Each structure stands twice: as structure tokens, then as C-alpha cells.
Amino acid sequence: MSDAKTAVVRTRKFLTNRLLQRKQFLVDVIHHDRPNVAKSELKTILAKKYKVTDPSTVFLYGFETQYGGGKSTGFGLIYDSLRAAKKYEPKYRLIRNGLETKVQTSRKQRKERKNRAKKVRGTKKAKVGSGKK
């Protein structure tokens, strides 16, 4: 990467959340001469900046590029451990970061399960998901 293509990464509203075992902050990325900066690149920069041993505990999301370009703002989380990340992060974000795999089912299966669940009440809805064929 040449000097003209570098991005400046700044954090603000930094907060240590002991309850959720993480550090949370807003990320400002200034990227002149570039349309945007990859999250993987930002992950490595932030991991180096905050001396994180495992970059997979860094989660970045919600980035929006300012009108006119040149600056993006998003949200960042750094978990104390991978175990804490898997415990508190939503499943879709774990899938995005490659820590879990997405379960693939067909649209028809999902619809049939939903319609079977409509016919029962309460805790029996969970049992309907397994199917009886």
C-alpha cells in the first residue's frame, strides 16, 4: 500500500464494558483517494492499536460513508476473549466474521415449519420444528 492510499483510523466514545467483557467505541476512518476501506484491513489496524492478540475478537459493523466520500463512521467492539465474543455477539455477526456457519434450509422447508407451528400452542412449537415425515 502506498502512502497516498493509507487511511487514518480514529476512535471516539471509547467505553470499557465489564458486564459484556468488551471494549466498545465509534470508529472514524478518513480515506481520501479511496472509495472505502475493507473491514479486514480496519480489523488489523485496530488490533495493532489496542494490542489485541487475536484479531478475530474484533467486530466492526454499521459503517456509513459520509456524503461526498473521504470519511466513514462505524461501530467497533473488542472482546476480552473468543469465548466472550461467542457468548454475547448475535449469531449473524459471528457468521459474518467466520466464527460460526450458517445453517442452510430451503424456503419451502421454512414455510412448512412456520405453518405447522401455527397449529400448536406454547412449548409444543419447538417440537414441531423437527418434523414427522
Side-chain angles (χ1 to χ4, degrees):
M1 214 164 67
S2 65
D3 290 329
K5 296 286 183 179
T6 57
V8 179
V9 180
R10 293 194 183 114
T11 58
R12 58 190 170 94
K13 294 191 177 181
F14 192 90
L15 179 80
T16 303
N17 191 333
R18 292 270 170 239
L19 192 65
L20 296 176
Q21 301 170 22
R22 70 185 184 193
K23 298 172 192 83
Q24 52 196 51
F25 46 86
L26 284 173
V27 183
D28 288 328
V29 185
I30 299 164
H31 48 88
H32 298 295
D33 304 328
R34 282 178 86 169
N36 223 328
V37 184
K39 284 184 193 169
S40 56
E41 191 180 324
L42 292 175
K43 248 188 205 190
T44 55
I45 292 168
L46 287 168
K48 216 180 287 179
K49 185 176 184 178
Y50 290 106
K51 299 177 181 89
V52 178
T53 53
D54 189 6
S56 62
T57 58
V58 180
F59 290 82
L60 300 169
Y61 62 95
F63 276 83
E64 289 184 355
T65 306
Q66 209 174 54
Y67 180 74
K71 184 181 177 184
S72 298
T73 305
F75 202 72
L77 304 168
I78 300 175
Y79 282 92
D80 296 345
S81 66
L82 202 58
R83 188 181 56 76
K86 286 186 176 183
K87 184 177 180 183
Y88 295 117
E89 269 299 287
K91 194 170 181 185
Y92 77 93
R93 261 191 249 151
L94 290 172
I95 292 167
R96 277 184 195 172
N97 283 25
L99 297 176
E100 279 196 25
T101 55
K102 188 175 181 180
V103 179
Q104 292 286 356
T105 58
S106 70
R107 182 181 166 110
K108 189 171 182 179
Q109 282 178 324
R110 287 194 306 265
K111 284 185 169 197
E112 286 173 353
R113 180 173 184 246
K114 173 192 64 102
N115 290 329
R116 281 197 308 268
K118 279 198 235 172
K119 295 173 186 168
V120 294
R121 290 176 54 124
T123 56
K124 291 178 187 157
K125 283 188 188 284
K127 293 174 187 166
V128 168
S130 58
K132 292 178 187 169
K133 288 187 178 179

